Structure formats: C-alpha cells, structure tokens
Amino acid sequence: MTQALTVLGIETSCDETAAAVVRRHADGRAEVLSSVVASQTEAHQPFGGVVPEIAARAHVEIVDGIVAQALAEADVGFDVLDGVGATAGPGLVGGVMVGLSFGKAVALARGLPLVAVNHLEGHAVSARLGAEADYPFLLLLVSGGHCQLLVVEGVGRMRRLGSTIDDAAGEAFDKVAKALGLGYPGGPALEALAEKGDASRYPLPRALLGRKDCDFSFSGLKTAAARLAADAQNDQDRADLAASVQAAIARQLAERSDRAMALYVQEHAHRLFVVAGGVAANRTVRRVLEDTAAARGFAFLAPPLKYCTDNAAMIALASAERLAAGLTSPLDAAARPRWPLDEASALADPTHKPGRKGAKA
Ligand code: KG4
Ligand code: ZN
C-alpha cells in the first residue's frame, strides 16, 4: 500500500486564486491541512462577468503569496511535500498558465513530481474531501462553466453520460440574474430573490424532453426568461420569475440525473449520487436532487460549500490520487483551454466535437 502523500495544489483557471495542502493517507482518506481561496469577484464586478485579462494579471500578482499562506497554514515547508499539482485546464488559458507555470517552477526547484490536473477531475473528487465517498459513484457536475453527468471510477477513469449542448447551468443562473438586474455572480442573488417568489407563476420551456440521453440545454430557458424579465413590472414579478427559473433548472437537472441513475445501475451496485460545482450550493437544486436520488435508492452527497465552488484542495487531492496511482506529468505539460475529462467519449460523440473550440462544458 502507498505511503501517506502530502501534496500542494494550485488552482487559477477562472477568477479564484487558490492553493491548498492535502495529505492522502495510505488508506485513501483525505486530510485537508490548508485551503486558501482568494476571490477576484470585486475586480470583475463592474464588468458583470469575468474578464480574462484582468483575471490572469490578478493571478500573477498574488499566486506566490497564496501558496506561501497555504504552506504556512498547513505548517509545512516545501521539504515535506511529495508532489505539486496545478490545474492545467479547462479554463481561461491566461490564468491556467500562471498557476501551471508556478507549479512547474516549484517542481523543478524542489525536485518534486508534477501533476497537471484537469479542473473537472478536481470537482469530481471534491466530495471525498469532506466525507467518505468510495468509488464508483455517479456525479452531476454543475458549475458556471460545466454541466455534465459522469460515472466516476477513480482518477483517470471517468466516463461521461451526458453534458450540456449549449450553456452550463450556472451560466443560465448568471445570465437570467443579469437580465433581472441582479449583480455578479448571479446564482446566489437569484436564489435569494426566488425565496419571495411563486415558482408556478411562469411556465418556461422544457428542453430535450423526449430524448433518452443525458444531455442538457439551457439556452431556450435563458432566452425565454430574459424576455419575461424585460416585461416584469414590479418586484413581485421579478421574484416570481426568479423562482420559476430556479425550479425549471432544478427540474431539468433532476430529470437528466434520473436517466443517468437508470443507466448507472445497469453496471454498478454501489448506489451513490454526488453533486458538485458551484450550483450545488443552491438549496432548491440540492433538495430536488436529493429526492430524485432517494426515489432511485441512491445515497446522496454534496460536498461542503467551500469545496463545491472553485478551490485548490480538490486539485491537491486529485494530484495525490494520481501520484498514488503512479501518474505524473512532464514539465512541459501544456495549458489547455479546452480539455474534456474523457477524451474517448468526446471523440466518439459528435455533440461534443473536439474541433477548433472543443467540448465546451
Ligand atoms: O464551481 P464554480 O465556483 O466555478 C466554476 O467552475 O464555474 O461555480 C460558479 C457558478 C456560478 O455560475 C454561480 O452563479 C453558481 O455557481 N452558483 C449558484 C449558487 N452559488 C453559486 N447558482 C445558483 N444558486 C446558488 N446559490
Ligand atoms: Zn470549477
């Protein structure tokens, strides 16, 4: 059995500069020694969304300090580390290059193995940071950039059952929130407004209803909601629309997850359903998914909020699990703006063409 592994993780793929130290014990249990997240929300707020150039510059300015803070809070020096992992994509490539280059520099200077981590693999293992979540499990990954259902058998062993053909669920939350005049990021603001609203007030389109696959689509819902937002007369109209949109997104996530559970049980006896990513913070989404899982006899697990949204502890754990499996990366590993988690199914499935833009979410 592998010895305990202590790993530094670095995350810079979007608007959070994060570093963490995680120890993977010989039995596979994860212990988070530190997890530091510096959000750039304020820098992007005036623009109503993340500005890639501002994000990359902000990462450059603070990444060294954030790593130093993570090591100090964990009370370890570089000499205690067994490896260093950094997000190598998918994400905003300017930011990814900052964190990955920093990780390479640490690896080179300290003679440590480097692990270039797929950000999605980080989200996929995030549930294992706060609780016991043995492989395999079914994962719904819902964030601002991603919306997909995956069978997770371990690091490097993930198979996608479906993903969005247009927007991610978090993107839909953010865009409708913007149309309603709420600030950025919109998801939490929309959830707060929805509390005072009537979710049955506005009928909204239900995408891909007749299809048997596990794909998602949110663009029709987003367009319809934007039109209704423009016509909203008063605060009650806006609250009712927020509640209706939230319910519609939760319903679609539940419908596709239900299909995925039916497929998953054909091959796996271990019935565990995990939901991860920023949208998993939404209480309506959590409740509806928990009910769906219960109806199919699945245990339900959502990571604590701090591990749902972007963080480096999940990157450190994915790195540690890869190291334990003997998987490391060369020092010339490339930063990849697009990087589907399971490249085999991305190539086989025309919906998720690798093409010029690659699989988006
Ligand atoms: O995982 P995350 O921090 O970053 C990405 O990798 O994208 O997810 C951020 C997304 C944003 O779209 C944000 O609006 C959404 O998660 N989000 C929420 C809530 N909290 C965050 N959406 C709905 N309700 C929430 N409470
Ligand atoms: Zn993320």
Side-chain angles (χ1 to χ4, degrees):
M1 193 177 274
T2 337
Q3 297 296 307
L5 293 169
T6 306
V7 175
L8 168 68
I10 302 166
E11 159 60 39
T12 55
S13 67
C14 192
D15 59 346
E16 263 94 26
T17 315
V21 180
V22 169
R23 183 163 291 151
R24 179 192 183 275
H25 290 274
D27 61 2
R29 192 171 48 85
E31 185 186 353
V32 181
L33 302 185
S34 67
S35 179
V36 181
V37 181
S39 175
Q40 307 171 359
T41 306
E42 272 176 33
H44 301 289
Q45 225 148 27
F47 306 97
V50 179
V51 183
E53 181 64 22
I54 293 177
R57 284 167 189 248
H59 290 307
V60 170
E61 278 166 23
I62 63 169
V63 67
D64 52 343
I66 296 297
V67 168
Q69 191 182 337
L71 291 169
E73 287 183 15
D75 201 16
V76 302
F78 285 111
D79 54 315
V80 173
L81 299 177
D82 296 298
V84 52
T87 299
L92 302 173
V93 77
V96 172
M97 285 194 302
V98 173
L100 183 58
S101 300
F102 196 90
K104 288 176 179 178
V106 172
L108 190 61
R110 294 284 165 168
L112 293 170
L114 172 77
V115 185
V117 179
N118 185 312
H119 179 81
L120 305 179
E121 187 164 278
H123 277 300
V125 304
S126 64
R128 293 164 58 78
L129 287 165
E132 277 187 27
D134 289 338
Y135 297 122
F137 52 79
L138 178 67
L139 172 76
L140 172 66
L141 173 54
V142 265
S143 69
H146 321 289
C147 185
Q148 43 188 263
L149 280 154
L150 296 154
V151 178
V152 180
E153 288 171 349
V155 288
R157 290 185 294 134
M158 307 191 184
R159 189 163 52 88
R160 187 172 50 199
L161 298 179
S163 57
T164 183
I165 60 171
D166 41 57
D167 294 337
E171 215 173 339
F173 268 113
D174 291 337
K175 286 178 180 168
V176 175
K178 199 169 181 179
L180 282 166
L182 305 170
Y184 168 82
L190 191 139
E191 180 175 16
L193 180 61
E195 259 173 50
K196 296 168 226 138
D198 171 5
S200 63
R201 164 95 181 272
Y202 292 103
L204 289 158
R206 298 180 74 171
L208 312 179
L209 244 197
R211 285 172 47 163
K212 297 227 167 359
D213 59 32
C214 302
D215 285 340
F216 302 86
S217 169
F218 294 103
S219 70
L221 170 67
K222 178 192 68 187
T223 309
R227 220 174 23 241
L228 290 165
D231 292 342
Q233 302 291 321
N234 53 46
D235 287 349
Q236 193 57 52
D237 286 354
R238 277 185 281 276
D240 290 347
L241 182 57
S244 301
V245 167
Q246 178 174 265
I249 293 175
R251 184 175 56 202
Q252 189 182 146
L253 294 175
E255 283 169 354
R256 301 311 191 275
S257 299
D258 185 63
R259 283 184 204 165
M261 285 177 208
L263 292 173
Y264 174 93
V265 295
Q266 291 174 9
E267 289 173 15
H268 299 286
H270 183 234
R271 294 188 185 210
L272 173 62
F273 178 59
V274 175
V275 55
V279 177
N282 185 285
R283 279 161 299 167
T284 299
V285 167
R286 274 189 195 231
R287 186 172 30 84
V288 171
L289 291 174
E290 195 166 1
D291 291 349
T292 307
R296 288 268 181 194
F298 276 64
F300 176 81
L301 187 63
L305 205 52
K306 61 183 176 191
Y307 301 139
C308 272
T309 50
D310 285 351
N311 65 88
M314 67 185 193
I315 303 303
L317 179 58
S319 306
E321 293 194 6
R322 281 193 164 259
L323 275 181
L327 301 168
T328 59
S329 311
L331 278 177
D332 63 353
R336 299 179 60 176
R338 309 249 165 186
W339 185 4
L341 200 44
D342 62 337
E343 301 193 47
S345 78
L347 288 169
D349 181 350
T351 319
H352 311 290
K353 277 196 209 77
R356 187 172 60 83
K357 289 178 126 188
K360 183 183 178 191

